[in-house]
């Protein structure tokens, strides 16, 4: 997104500090999964374990099937909000 969010800035700075060239692209989630699965892209950002097809990606793990939470770049809370005046509940 433009301007980039906090997570994009953190990833860009980490890559810069490690001298790792990266290019970020923004596409619909299903398309991103497909493009990582077919080898077009190397990584996904903001992937939730186990909410993603674990046959496509590798999470850092502390043991078989248990993600290493210390390697997470952050956590987020997602809220469902509604338009003012909406009767959706």
């Amino acid at each position: 997104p433009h301007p980039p969010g906090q997570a994009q800035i953190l990833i860009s700075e980490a890559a810069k500090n490690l001298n790792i060239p990266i290019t970020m692209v923004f596409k619909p989630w299903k398309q991103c999964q497909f493009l990582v699965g077919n080898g077009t892209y190397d990584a996904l950002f903001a992937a939730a374990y186990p909410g993603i097809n674990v046959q496509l990606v590798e999470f850092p793990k502390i043991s078989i099937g248990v993600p290493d939470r210390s390697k997470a770049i952050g956590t987020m809370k997602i809220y469902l909000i509604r338009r003012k005046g909406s009767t959706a509940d």
Side-chain angles (χ1 to χ4, degrees), residues 7-22 73:
Q8 288 85 9
I9 292 169
L10 288 171
I11 290 169
S12 294
E13 286 299 310
K16 181 178 158 186
N17 291 339
L18 294 169
N19 200 29
I20 299 171
I22 63 168
I73 61 170

Side-chain angles (χ1 to χ4, degrees), residues 21-71:
I22 63 168
T23 302
M24 288 191 194
V25 294
F26 302 93
K27 298 190 178 294
W29 184 245
K30 291 283 186 187
Q31 186 178 7
C32 289
Q33 289 183 72
F34 174 79
L35 293 169
V36 166
N38 76 9
T40 300
Y41 296 134
D42 295 317
L44 288 167
F45 167 69
Y49 185 89
I52 186 168
N53 183 344
V54 293
Q55 266 106 28
L56 296 178
V57 298
E58 185 69 38
F59 281 82
K61 295 185 179 122
I62 54 175
S63 65
I64 295 173
V66 180
D68 184 349
R69 296 186 186 277
S70 73
K71 303 260 171 114

